Amino acid sequence: MSEKQKNQEALEKETRNALQRLLIVLLVAAGIFVYSYGWTVTEIDLAEPQEEQRQTNVTRALRELLSPRLFEQDREVTQVDASFIMVEDEADCATVDVPVQSDPATAEGAVVVIEPACTTSDAIISVQLRNADVGIDGRVRWIPPGEDATARPMEIIETEREDFVTDTNGELTATIEVPRIRGGEGELHTVRVLLAIPVGQITFSETASLVIDRMAQTIFMALVATTVAIPIAAFISFFAAQNLMRRVRLSVGSLLMAVVLFAFGVWVGGQFIVYLGRLGLQIGRGDLFAPVGALMAFVIPIVVLGATVFVLSRLTSISDDKDKNSQTTDMVRGMLNSVITTLALIFIIGAVGGLGILGGEQIMIGGDELRPAQVDSIATGLNAAGATLIWSVGNLLNILGTLIELFMPAIAGALTGFTLAGIGASVFGAQLRRMTGVPSHVLGAILGAVSGAILLAFVSGFALWAALLGILPPLIAGIIGGSVTRQIFKRVSGGNQPAPATGRSRTRRLLELASFIVGLVAVFMFMFDMLNIGRSLVDGTLPPQVPATLFGIELPLTVYMFRAAIVGAVLGGISAGLSGLQGVFPLGNMLYNTSRTSLNIIRSIEPLIMGLVFVIWVGIGPFAGVLALTLHSIAALGKLYSEQIENIDAGPIEALESTGANQLQTIIYAVVPQIIPPYIAFTMYRWDINVRMSTIIGFVGGGGIGLLLQQQINLLRYRDAGVAVLAIAVVVSILDYASASIRERLT
């Protein structure tokens, strides 16, 4: 290398170093400016904390918080008086009889000495307590002359407090200001020192007992919220895990058929089949029969249904013996089994709910009868605790039965919908998979139109709850419109042909993305304007609930929903018609994005806001707190669970898939064993969080120890608040150690 080249490289290196140093200086300067602006907008002021009054207040608050009122002892209040004469002028003290002060050296018991014993109002005098016990709490009171005079609390100037504690010699020296009392000149006043002398045994304070009770309530609030959230969050987490969902794909024909049949099944189940579940409810809770007869009426139909399934099974098996290749017989038997099983399940769920209501009421009555009228001994206390436990079990059964009664239409609709979708897959699945050419696109357009109308009608009905939700119909319609324009672009440009081994070019991917965005924006703006979403967002008003009509027939839809359904039918028909029944729909990606977005939205809402809303709905108390904690726990645990699924070892999954295992078998045998230990750890951690979070929710009336803590702080009772803070710290520490121990045993 020549000398010139070396010099050139050295110059370039020096230039790069100079530029790097300049860049670092600029970044540091920018960071200083940003931090300085942040300091300004956050209004940080170090002058106020240095004010003497603020320092005194915060010192007092911290001292009392760190001196919790855990224990208490009965006090015997005694009083020690000293006389004082008030004059208009200090010179008048020479002309009046100044009270003689007691001599502490000769007096028996505590005495109070005032210096001076004669002076004017607003003067400062010394109050000396002598011969008292060590460490006794006391107060100073000023009693004006007169039989009906009211004692006035006096503040000690040195401490700016009314209370005091005697020193190690049983003495106190304090100064107070003589109050200004009209007409008190020349009269004899009394300075009274009240001493609270402890007597009896030291016991837990009333505050500590109340805190223990509320802390137990808080722990169980967090426990109930966490346990209710676990199955829901665990179920959602599988849909929010990208490594599981990205492989889930479904043919367009199967998906559209399932959507149509499921929607029809939900309507049939919610309108008609639900009466079977309500019959089970009535039978189970004894509305149609006596309680004993209700149980028999519950068992007999199950036996009859089971016998019916057995007979049908035997008949079809005989037919199979005659014709082993009869697929129709198998299909009919499967359909009959599915229908009978669904009807039996709906009836059984209803009967279980009715039995829960009936049994819960009876158990609650039994618990009330066992509860003693008065708790005056250990035996009666244990009896009362047992009665409360029995009553709680009955209350739980009653609540579960009531929930089944409330959600019976949804239960019947969902079960019927899934059954019809399953029957449709078994009956029409093979035909749909074999259908190609023009019939595939025509039938796809028909099913797509119906599915699109159902989807947009449902979303628009949901959007009628609030003005902000009105964005959902245009957004979903825009996504469908974007997929339509993307399919059109691919057909026009020949993109439907098999991709080469090297894949699509970057330019082509960008053009496809641009076509999708164009369709999304165009359809979104069209729907936004057609449904008048802008007016709803500006005024906060909802669209009018005007029933829609078609050819003079009133539909079970509003005009708003009908318009959305028409757009959905057009877009769905075009999209499914272009793809055909054999097109592949990325169902997993849709489920992943939907579940992930839902979890993020719910998780972004503070539990405090949720608690405030639930307090408005169900009233002040722990129930509102449990609902708020449950909803937020579902979102938080769902996110943690799903991220754990995404981080599992892919080896067992690939091994099972290579053997031909389906998606469900893969999850059960390859995913679940890997996620149980972290799921337990996350659950314990969430319980810990819920205990602390319930404290904040209590500030808006969500029950638990938070409500008690708020009341104590508002009343400036910091010693009582310190008990609650200490209880929270102890419980959180115990839960942390328990969680660490469980994780250690499972890993």
Side-chain angles (χ1 to χ4, degrees), residues 263-287:
F264 178 72
V266 169
W267 179 76
V268 171
Q271 294 293 324
F272 305 104
I273 309 300
V274 66
Y275 290 105
L276 182 62
R278 289 173 178 169
L279 176 63
L281 273 164
Q282 291 179 326
I283 293 175
R285 64 187 177 192
D287 289 348

mmCIF file with all atom_site columns, all heavy atoms in Angstrom, residues 263-287:
data_model
loop_
_atom_site.group_PDB
_atom_site.id
_atom_site.type_symbol
_atom_site.label_atom_id
_atom_site.label_alt_id
_atom_site.label_comp_id
_atom_site.label_asym_id
_atom_site.label_entity_id
_atom_site.label_seq_id
_atom_site.pdbx_PDB_ins_code
_atom_site.Cartn_x
_atom_site.Cartn_y
_atom_site.Cartn_z
_atom_site.occupancy
_atom_site.B_iso_or_equiv
_atom_site.pdbx_formal_charge
_atom_site.auth_seq_id
_atom_site.auth_comp_id
_atom_site.auth_asym_id
_atom_site.auth_atom_id
_atom_site.pdbx_PDB_model_num
ATOM 1   N N   . ALA A 1 263 ? -74.588 -19.057 12.595 1.00 0.00 ? 263 ALA A N   1
ATOM 2   C CA  . ALA A 1 263 ? -75.495 -17.934 12.845 1.00 0.00 ? 263 ALA A CA  1
ATOM 3   C C   . ALA A 1 263 ? -76.944 -18.407 12.889 1.00 0.00 ? 263 ALA A C   1
ATOM 4   O O   . ALA A 1 263 ? -77.734 -17.980 13.755 1.00 0.00 ? 263 ALA A O   1
ATOM 5   C CB  . ALA A 1 263 ? -75.309 -16.870 11.769 1.00 0.00 ? 263 ALA A CB  1
ATOM 6   N N   . PHE A 1 264 ? -77.312 -19.308 11.948 1.00 0.00 ? 264 PHE A N   1
ATOM 7   C CA  . PHE A 1 264 ? -78.677 -19.834 11.956 1.00 0.00 ? 264 PHE A CA  1
ATOM 8   C C   . PHE A 1 264 ? -78.932 -20.638 13.227 1.00 0.00 ? 264 PHE A C   1
ATOM 9   O O   . PHE A 1 264 ? -80.008 -20.545 13.840 1.00 0.00 ? 264 PHE A O   1
ATOM 10  C CB  . PHE A 1 264 ? -78.895 -20.701 10.713 1.00 0.00 ? 264 PHE A CB  1
ATOM 11  C CG  . PHE A 1 264 ? -80.262 -21.321 10.646 1.00 0.00 ? 264 PHE A CG  1
ATOM 12  C CD1 . PHE A 1 264 ? -81.383 -20.546 10.369 1.00 0.00 ? 264 PHE A CD1 1
ATOM 13  C CD2 . PHE A 1 264 ? -80.429 -22.687 10.874 1.00 0.00 ? 264 PHE A CD2 1
ATOM 14  C CE1 . PHE A 1 264 ? -82.646 -21.125 10.316 1.00 0.00 ? 264 PHE A CE1 1
ATOM 15  C CE2 . PHE A 1 264 ? -81.682 -23.265 10.816 1.00 0.00 ? 264 PHE A CE2 1
ATOM 16  C CZ  . PHE A 1 264 ? -82.801 -22.479 10.536 1.00 0.00 ? 264 PHE A CZ  1
ATOM 17  N N   . GLY A 1 265 ? -77.931 -21.427 13.658 1.00 0.00 ? 265 GLY A N   1
ATOM 18  C CA  . GLY A 1 265 ? -78.088 -22.212 14.882 1.00 0.00 ? 265 GLY A CA  1
ATOM 19  C C   . GLY A 1 265 ? -78.218 -21.341 16.112 1.00 0.00 ? 265 GLY A C   1
ATOM 20  O O   . GLY A 1 265 ? -78.987 -21.649 17.033 1.00 0.00 ? 265 GLY A O   1
ATOM 21  N N   . VAL A 1 266 ? -77.471 -20.227 16.170 1.00 0.00 ? 266 VAL A N   1
ATOM 22  C CA  . VAL A 1 266 ? -77.591 -19.312 17.303 1.00 0.00 ? 266 VAL A CA  1
ATOM 23  C C   . VAL A 1 266 ? -79.006 -18.743 17.375 1.00 0.00 ? 266 VAL A C   1
ATOM 24  O O   . VAL A 1 266 ? -79.600 -18.635 18.457 1.00 0.00 ? 266 VAL A O   1
ATOM 25  C CB  . VAL A 1 266 ? -76.550 -18.181 17.186 1.00 0.00 ? 266 VAL A CB  1
ATOM 26  C CG1 . VAL A 1 266 ? -76.837 -17.074 18.189 1.00 0.00 ? 266 VAL A CG1 1
ATOM 27  C CG2 . VAL A 1 266 ? -75.145 -18.733 17.404 1.00 0.00 ? 266 VAL A CG2 1
ATOM 28  N N   . TRP A 1 267 ? -79.556 -18.383 16.217 1.00 0.00 ? 267 TRP A N   1
ATOM 29  C CA  . TRP A 1 267 ? -80.920 -17.838 16.200 1.00 0.00 ? 267 TRP A CA  1
ATOM 30  C C   . TRP A 1 267 ? -81.936 -18.898 16.625 1.00 0.00 ? 267 TRP A C   1
ATOM 31  O O   . TRP A 1 267 ? -82.810 -18.628 17.456 1.00 0.00 ? 267 TRP A O   1
ATOM 32  C CB  . TRP A 1 267 ? -81.255 -17.319 14.807 1.00 0.00 ? 267 TRP A CB  1
ATOM 33  C CG  . TRP A 1 267 ? -82.647 -16.777 14.701 1.00 0.00 ? 267 TRP A CG  1
ATOM 34  C CD1 . TRP A 1 267 ? -83.108 -15.587 15.172 1.00 0.00 ? 267 TRP A CD1 1
ATOM 35  C CD2 . TRP A 1 267 ? -83.767 -17.434 14.098 1.00 0.00 ? 267 TRP A CD2 1
ATOM 36  N NE1 . TRP A 1 267 ? -84.446 -15.446 14.902 1.00 0.00 ? 267 TRP A NE1 1
ATOM 37  C CE2 . TRP A 1 267 ? -84.886 -16.562 14.243 1.00 0.00 ? 267 TRP A CE2 1
ATOM 38  C CE3 . TRP A 1 267 ? -83.941 -18.659 13.456 1.00 0.00 ? 267 TRP A CE3 1
ATOM 39  C CZ2 . TRP A 1 267 ? -86.146 -16.902 13.761 1.00 0.00 ? 267 TRP A CZ2 1
ATOM 40  C CZ3 . TRP A 1 267 ? -85.202 -18.978 12.969 1.00 0.00 ? 267 TRP A CZ3 1
ATOM 41  C CH2 . TRP A 1 267 ? -86.284 -18.104 13.130 1.00 0.00 ? 267 TRP A CH2 1
ATOM 42  N N   . VAL A 1 268 ? -81.815 -20.108 16.076 1.00 0.00 ? 268 VAL A N   1
ATOM 43  C CA  . VAL A 1 268 ? -82.748 -21.186 16.433 1.00 0.00 ? 268 VAL A CA  1
ATOM 44  C C   . VAL A 1 268 ? -82.618 -21.538 17.908 1.00 0.00 ? 268 VAL A C   1
ATOM 45  O O   . VAL A 1 268 ? -83.621 -21.686 18.635 1.00 0.00 ? 268 VAL A O   1
ATOM 46  C CB  . VAL A 1 268 ? -82.498 -22.431 15.552 1.00 0.00 ? 268 VAL A CB  1
ATOM 47  C CG1 . VAL A 1 268 ? -83.311 -23.619 16.061 1.00 0.00 ? 268 VAL A CG1 1
ATOM 48  C CG2 . VAL A 1 268 ? -82.853 -22.134 14.109 1.00 0.00 ? 268 VAL A CG2 1
ATOM 49  N N   . GLY A 1 269 ? -81.387 -21.659 18.384 1.00 0.00 ? 269 GLY A N   1
ATOM 50  C CA  . GLY A 1 269 ? -81.192 -22.019 19.785 1.00 0.00 ? 269 GLY A CA  1
ATOM 51  C C   . GLY A 1 269 ? -81.691 -20.949 20.734 1.00 0.00 ? 269 GLY A C   1
ATOM 52  O O   . GLY A 1 269 ? -82.333 -21.262 21.748 1.00 0.00 ? 269 GLY A O   1
ATOM 53  N N   . GLY A 1 270 ? -81.405 -19.680 20.414 1.00 0.00 ? 270 GLY A N   1
ATOM 54  C CA  . GLY A 1 270 ? -81.841 -18.603 21.293 1.00 0.00 ? 270 GLY A CA  1
ATOM 55  C C   . GLY A 1 270 ? -83.331 -18.366 21.277 1.00 0.00 ? 270 GLY A C   1
ATOM 56  O O   . GLY A 1 270 ? -83.892 -17.843 22.255 1.00 0.00 ? 270 GLY A O   1
ATOM 57  N N   . GLN A 1 271 ? -84.009 -18.728 20.176 1.00 0.00 ? 271 GLN A N   1
ATOM 58  C CA  . GLN A 1 271 ? -85.442 -18.473 20.057 1.00 0.00 ? 271 GLN A CA  1
ATOM 59  C C   . GLN A 1 271 ? -86.306 -19.668 20.447 1.00 0.00 ? 271 GLN A C   1
ATOM 60  O O   . GLN A 1 271 ? -87.400 -19.491 21.001 1.00 0.00 ? 271 GLN A O   1
ATOM 61  C CB  . GLN A 1 271 ? -85.775 -18.068 18.609 1.00 0.00 ? 271 GLN A CB  1
ATOM 62  C CG  . GLN A 1 271 ? -85.169 -16.745 18.178 1.00 0.00 ? 271 GLN A CG  1
ATOM 63  C CD  . GLN A 1 271 ? -85.763 -15.565 18.924 1.00 0.00 ? 271 GLN A CD  1
ATOM 64  O OE1 . GLN A 1 271 ? -86.953 -15.540 19.240 1.00 0.00 ? 271 GLN A OE1 1
ATOM 65  N NE2 . GLN A 1 271 ? -84.930 -14.579 19.223 1.00 0.00 ? 271 GLN A NE2 1
ATOM 66  N N   . PHE A 1 272 ? -85.825 -20.878 20.182 1.00 0.00 ? 272 PHE A N   1
ATOM 67  C CA  . PHE A 1 272 ? -86.683 -22.052 20.350 1.00 0.00 ? 272 PHE A CA  1
ATOM 68  C C   . PHE A 1 272 ? -86.082 -23.094 21.308 1.00 0.00 ? 272 PHE A C   1
ATOM 69  O O   . PHE A 1 272 ? -86.740 -23.514 22.262 1.00 0.00 ? 272 PHE A O   1
ATOM 70  C CB  . PHE A 1 272 ? -86.962 -22.701 18.984 1.00 0.00 ? 272 PHE A CB  1
ATOM 71  C CG  . PHE A 1 272 ? -87.549 -21.744 17.982 1.00 0.00 ? 272 PHE A CG  1
ATOM 72  C CD1 . PHE A 1 272 ? -86.767 -21.216 16.962 1.00 0.00 ? 272 PHE A CD1 1
ATOM 73  C CD2 . PHE A 1 272 ? -88.882 -21.342 18.070 1.00 0.00 ? 272 PHE A CD2 1
ATOM 74  C CE1 . PHE A 1 272 ? -87.305 -20.330 16.042 1.00 0.00 ? 272 PHE A CE1 1
ATOM 75  C CE2 . PHE A 1 272 ? -89.419 -20.455 17.155 1.00 0.00 ? 272 PHE A CE2 1
ATOM 76  C CZ  . PHE A 1 272 ? -88.629 -19.940 16.135 1.00 0.00 ? 272 PHE A CZ  1
ATOM 77  N N   . ILE A 1 273 ? -84.841 -23.520 21.036 1.00 0.00 ? 273 ILE A N   1
ATOM 78  C CA  . ILE A 1 273 ? -84.252 -24.586 21.838 1.00 0.00 ? 273 ILE A CA  1
ATOM 79  C C   . ILE A 1 273 ? -84.060 -24.140 23.287 1.00 0.00 ? 273 ILE A C   1
ATOM 80  O O   . ILE A 1 273 ? -83.975 -24.961 24.201 1.00 0.00 ? 273 ILE A O   1
ATOM 81  C CB  . ILE A 1 273 ? -82.912 -25.053 21.229 1.00 0.00 ? 273 ILE A CB  1
ATOM 82  C CG1 . ILE A 1 273 ? -83.089 -25.370 19.736 1.00 0.00 ? 273 ILE A CG1 1
ATOM 83  C CG2 . ILE A 1 273 ? -82.389 -26.285 21.942 1.00 0.00 ? 273 ILE A CG2 1
ATOM 84  C CD1 . ILE A 1 273 ? -84.088 -26.465 19.462 1.00 0.00 ? 273 ILE A CD1 1
ATOM 85  N N   . VAL A 1 274 ? -83.998 -22.838 23.492 1.00 0.00 ? 274 VAL A N   1
ATOM 86  C CA  . VAL A 1 274 ? -83.792 -22.330 24.846 1.00 0.00 ? 274 VAL A CA  1
ATOM 87  C C   . VAL A 1 274 ? -84.912 -22.767 25.791 1.00 0.00 ? 274 VAL A C   1
ATOM 88  O O   . VAL A 1 274 ? -84.691 -22.904 27.003 1.00 0.00 ? 274 VAL A O   1
ATOM 89  C CB  . VAL A 1 274 ? -83.671 -20.788 24.819 1.00 0.00 ? 274 VAL A CB  1
ATOM 90  C CG1 . VAL A 1 274 ? -84.991 -20.148 24.395 1.00 0.00 ? 274 VAL A CG1 1
ATOM 91  C CG2 . VAL A 1 274 ? -83.240 -20.254 26.170 1.00 0.00 ? 274 VAL A CG2 1
ATOM 92  N N   . TYR A 1 275 ? -86.098 -23.004 25.255 1.00 0.00 ? 275 TYR A N   1
ATOM 93  C CA  . TYR A 1 275 ? -87.208 -23.419 26.119 1.00 0.00 ? 275 TYR A CA  1
ATOM 94  C C   . TYR A 1 275 ? -86.960 -24.794 26.741 1.00 0.00 ? 275 TYR A C   1
ATOM 95  O O   . TYR A 1 275 ? -87.476 -25.093 27.825 1.00 0.00 ? 275 TYR A O   1
ATOM 96  C CB  . TYR A 1 275 ? -88.516 -23.424 25.328 1.00 0.00 ? 275 TYR A CB  1
ATOM 97  C CG  . TYR A 1 275 ? -88.976 -22.036 24.975 1.00 0.00 ? 275 TYR A CG  1
ATOM 98  C CD1 . TYR A 1 275 ? -88.855 -21.548 23.685 1.00 0.00 ? 275 TYR A CD1 1
ATOM 99  C CD2 . TYR A 1 275 ? -89.522 -21.197 25.948 1.00 0.00 ? 275 TYR A CD2 1
ATOM 100 C CE1 . TYR A 1 275 ? -89.268 -20.268 23.359 1.00 0.00 ? 275 TYR A CE1 1
ATOM 101 C CE2 . TYR A 1 275 ? -89.940 -19.910 25.630 1.00 0.00 ? 275 TYR A CE2 1
ATOM 102 C CZ  . TYR A 1 275 ? -89.806 -19.452 24.333 1.00 0.00 ? 275 TYR A CZ  1
ATOM 103 O OH  . TYR A 1 275 ? -90.211 -18.178 24.019 1.00 0.00 ? 275 TYR A OH  1
ATOM 104 N N   . LEU A 1 276 ? -86.161 -25.627 26.063 1.00 0.00 ? 276 LEU A N   1
ATOM 105 C CA  . LEU A 1 276 ? -85.818 -26.915 26.656 1.00 0.00 ? 276 LEU A CA  1
ATOM 106 C C   . LEU A 1 276 ? -84.945 -26.705 27.891 1.00 0.00 ? 276 LEU A C   1
ATOM 107 O O   . LEU A 1 276 ? -85.132 -27.367 28.917 1.00 0.00 ? 276 LEU A O   1
ATOM 108 C CB  . LEU A 1 276 ? -85.094 -27.778 25.620 1.00 0.00 ? 276 LEU A CB  1
ATOM 109 C CG  . LEU A 1 276 ? -84.702 -29.195 26.067 1.00 0.00 ? 276 LEU A CG  1
ATOM 110 C CD1 . LEU A 1 276 ? -85.942 -30.008 26.423 1.00 0.00 ? 276 LEU A CD1 1
ATOM 111 C CD2 . LEU A 1 276 ? -83.903 -29.895 24.975 1.00 0.00 ? 276 LEU A CD2 1
ATOM 112 N N   . GLY A 1 277 ? -83.976 -25.770 27.784 1.00 0.00 ? 277 GLY A N   1
ATOM 113 C CA  . GLY A 1 277 ? -83.154 -25.463 28.942 1.00 0.00 ? 277 GLY A CA  1
ATOM 114 C C   . GLY A 1 277 ? -83.958 -24.836 30.066 1.00 0.00 ? 277 GLY A C   1
ATOM 115 O O   . GLY A 1 277 ? -83.731 -25.123 31.251 1.00 0.00 ? 277 GLY A O   1
ATOM 116 N N   . ARG A 1 278 ? -84.902 -23.963 29.735 1.00 0.00 ? 278 ARG A N   1
ATOM 117 C CA  . ARG A 1 278 ? -85.745 -23.354 30.762 1.00 0.00 ? 278 ARG A CA  1
ATOM 118 C C   . ARG A 1 278 ? -86.655 -24.386 31.420 1.00 0.00 ? 278 ARG A C   1
ATOM 119 O O   . ARG A 1 278 ? -86.964 -24.273 32.615 1.00 0.00 ? 278 ARG A O   1
ATOM 120 C CB  . ARG A 1 278 ? -86.567 -22.226 30.143 1.00 0.00 ? 278 ARG A CB  1
ATOM 121 C CG  . ARG A 1 278 ? -85.712 -21.014 29.775 1.00 0.00 ? 278 ARG A CG  1
ATOM 122 C CD  . ARG A 1 278 ? -86.480 -19.972 29.009 1.00 0.00 ? 278 ARG A CD  1
ATOM 123 N NE  . ARG A 1 278 ? -85.634 -18.810 28.723 1.00 0.00 ? 278 ARG A NE  1
ATOM 124 C CZ  . ARG A 1 278 ? -85.973 -17.833 27.875 1.00 0.00 ? 278 ARG A CZ  1
ATOM 125 N NH1 . ARG A 1 278 ? -87.146 -17.889 27.244 1.00 0.00 ? 278 ARG A NH1 1
ATOM 126 N NH2 . ARG A 1 278 ? -85.154 -16.818 27.668 1.00 0.00 ? 278 ARG A NH2 1
ATOM 127 N N   . LEU A 1 279 ? -87.077 -25.391 30.642 1.00 0.00 ? 279 LEU A N   1
ATOM 128 C CA  . LEU A 1 279 ? -87.843 -26.480 31.245 1.00 0.00 ? 279 LEU A CA  1
ATOM 129 C C   . LEU A 1 279 ? -86.992 -27.213 32.270 1.00 0.00 ? 279 LEU A C   1
ATOM 130 O O   . LEU A 1 279 ? -87.467 -27.541 33.370 1.00 0.00 ? 279 LEU A O   1
ATOM 131 C CB  . LEU A 1 279 ? -88.320 -27.438 30.154 1.00 0.00 ? 279 LEU A CB  1
ATOM 132 C CG  . LEU A 1 279 ? -89.058 -28.699 30.645 1.00 0.00 ? 279 LEU A CG  1
ATOM 133 C CD1 . LEU A 1 279 ? -90.351 -28.313 31.376 1.00 0.00 ? 279 LEU A CD1 1
ATOM 134 C CD2 . LEU A 1 279 ? -89.351 -29.636 29.490 1.00 0.00 ? 279 LEU A CD2 1
ATOM 135 N N   . GLY A 1 280 ? -85.725 -27.478 31.908 1.00 0.00 ? 280 GLY A N   1
ATOM 136 C CA  . GLY A 1 280 ? -84.831 -28.100 32.871 1.00 0.00 ? 280 GLY A CA  1
ATOM 137 C C   . GLY A 1 280 ? -84.635 -27.245 34.112 1.00 0.00 ? 280 GLY A C   1
ATOM 138 O O   . GLY A 1 280 ? -84.578 -27.752 35.236 1.00 0.00 ? 280 GLY A O   1
ATOM 139 N N   . LEU A 1 281 ? -84.555 -25.932 33.937 1.00 0.00 ? 281 LEU A N   1
ATOM 140 C CA  . LEU A 1 281 ? -84.438 -25.022 35.072 1.00 0.00 ? 281 LEU A CA  1
ATOM 141 C C   . LEU A 1 281 ? -85.650 -25.133 35.992 1.00 0.00 ? 281 LEU A C   1
ATOM 142 O O   . LEU A 1 281 ? -85.524 -25.220 37.221 1.00 0.00 ? 281 LEU A O   1
ATOM 143 C CB  . LEU A 1 281 ? -84.295 -23.580 34.573 1.00 0.00 ? 281 LEU A CB  1
ATOM 144 C CG  . LEU A 1 281 ? -82.884 -23.078 34.262 1.00 0.00 ? 281 LEU A CG  1
ATOM 145 C CD1 . LEU A 1 281 ? -82.944 -21.818 33.425 1.00 0.00 ? 281 LEU A CD1 1
ATOM 146 C CD2 . LEU A 1 281 ? -82.119 -22.828 35.553 1.00 0.00 ? 281 LEU A CD2 1
ATOM 147 N N   . GLN A 1 282 ? -86.837 -25.130 35.405 1.00 0.00 ? 282 GLN A N   1
ATOM 148 C CA  . GLN A 1 282 ? -88.059 -25.216 36.218 1.00 0.00 ? 282 GLN A CA  1
ATOM 149 C C   . GLN A 1 282 ? -88.146 -26.542 36.949 1.00 0.00 ? 282 GLN A C   1
ATOM 150 O O   . GLN A 1 282 ? -88.537 -26.598 38.122 1.00 0.00 ? 282 GLN A O   1
ATOM 151 C CB  . GLN A 1 282 ? -89.283 -25.015 35.326 1.00 0.00 ? 282 GLN A CB  1
ATOM 152 C CG  . GLN A 1 282 ? -89.410 -23.596 34.788 1.00 0.00 ? 282 GLN A CG  1
ATOM 153 C CD  . GLN A 1 282 ? -90.619 -23.433 33.885 1.00 0.00 ? 282 GLN A CD  1
ATOM 154 O OE1 . GLN A 1 282 ? -90.997 -24.363 33.159 1.00 0.00 ? 282 GLN A OE1 1
ATOM 155 N NE2 . GLN A 1 282 ? -91.230 -22.271 33.915 1.00 0.00 ? 282 GLN A NE2 1
ATOM 156 N N   . ILE A 1 283 ? -87.766 -27.608 36.252 1.00 0.00 ? 283 ILE A N   1
ATOM 157 C CA  . ILE A 1 283 ? -87.819 -28.921 36.896 1.00 0.00 ? 283 ILE A CA  1
ATOM 158 C C   . ILE A 1 283 ? -86.777 -29.001 38.010 1.00 0.00 ? 283 ILE A C   1
ATOM 159 O O   . ILE A 1 283 ? -87.041 -29.495 39.109 1.00 0.00 ? 283 ILE A O   1
ATOM 160 C CB  . ILE A 1 283 ? -87.604 -30.035 35.854 1.00 0.00 ? 283 ILE A CB  1
ATOM 161 C CG1 . ILE A 1 283 ? -88.792 -30.082 34.884 1.00 0.00 ? 283 ILE A CG1 1
ATOM 162 C CG2 . ILE A 1 283 ? -87.415 -31.383 36.540 1.00 0.00 ? 283 ILE A CG2 1
ATOM 163 C CD1 . ILE A 1 283 ? -88.608 -31.073 33.765 1.00 0.00 ? 283 ILE A CD1 1
ATOM 164 N N   . GLY A 1 284 ? -85.564 -28.503 37.719 1.00 0.00 ? 284 GLY A N   1
ATOM 165 C CA  . GLY A 1 284 ? -84.496 -28.602 38.697 1.00 0.00 ? 284 GLY A CA  1
ATOM 166 C C   . GLY A 1 284 ? -84.776 -27.834 39.973 1.00 0.00 ? 284 GLY A C   1
ATOM 167 O O   . GLY A 1 284 ? -84.444 -28.299 41.069 1.00 0.00 ? 284 GLY A O   1
ATOM 168 N N   . ARG A 1 285 ? -85.389 -26.670 39.885 1.00 0.00 ? 285 ARG A N   1
ATOM 169 C CA  . ARG A 1 285 ? -85.635 -25.884 41.097 1.00 0.00 ? 285 ARG A CA  1
ATOM 170 C C   . ARG A 1 285 ? -87.006 -26.140 41.704 1.00 0.00 ? 285 ARG A C   1
ATOM 171 O O   . ARG A 1 285 ? -87.426 -25.433 42.621 1.00 0.00 ? 285 ARG A O   1
ATOM 172 C CB  . ARG A 1 285 ? -85.463 -24.406 40.817 1.00 0.00 ? 285 ARG A CB  1
ATOM 173 C CG  . ARG A 1 285 ? -86.442 -23.800 39.841 1.00 0.00 ? 285 ARG A CG  1
ATOM 174 C CD  . ARG A 1 285 ? -86.044 -22.383 39.537 1.00 0.00 ? 285 ARG A CD  1
ATOM 175 N NE  . ARG A 1 285 ? -86.918 -21.773 38.551 1.00 0.00 ? 285 ARG A NE  1
ATOM 176 C CZ  . ARG A 1 285 ? -86.663 -20.615 37.933 1.00 0.00 ? 285 ARG A CZ  1
ATOM 177 N NH1 . ARG A 1 285 ? -85.544 -19.978 38.216 1.00 0.00 ? 285 ARG A NH1 1
ATOM 178 N NH2 . ARG A 1 285 ? -87.490 -20.119 37.052 1.00 0.00 ? 285 ARG A NH2 1
ATOM 179 N N   . GLY A 1 286 ? -87.716 -27.155 41.167 1.00 0.00 ? 286 GLY A N   1
ATOM 180 C CA  . GLY A 1 286 ? -88.953 -27.595 41.805 1.00 0.00 ? 286 GLY A CA  1
ATOM 181 C C   . GLY A 1 286 ? -90.162 -26.751 41.507 1.00 0.00 ? 286 GLY A C   1
ATOM 182 O O   . GLY A 1 286 ? -91.140 -26.800 42.254 1.00 0.00 ? 286 GLY A O   1
ATOM 183 N N   . ASP A 1 287 ? -90.144 -25.961 40.417 1.00 0.00 ? 287 ASP A N   1
ATOM 184 C CA  . ASP A 1 287 ? -91.313 -25.154 40.073 1.00 0.00 ? 287 ASP A CA  1
ATOM 185 C C   . ASP A 1 287 ? -92.453 -26.010 39.526 1.00 0.00 ? 287 ASP A C   1
ATOM 186 O O   . ASP A 1 287 ? -93.623 -25.656 39.662 1.00 0.00 ? 287 ASP A O   1
ATOM 187 C CB  . ASP A 1 287 ? -90.936 -24.086 39.047 1.00 0.00 ? 287 ASP A CB  1
ATOM 188 C CG  . ASP A 1 287 ? -90.072 -22.993 39.658 1.00 0.00 ? 287 ASP A CG  1
ATOM 189 O OD1 . ASP A 1 287 ? -89.973 -22.960 40.905 1.00 0.00 ? 287 ASP A OD1 1
ATOM 190 O OD2 . ASP A 1 287 ? -89.491 -22.197 38.910 1.00 0.00 ? 287 ASP A OD2 1
#
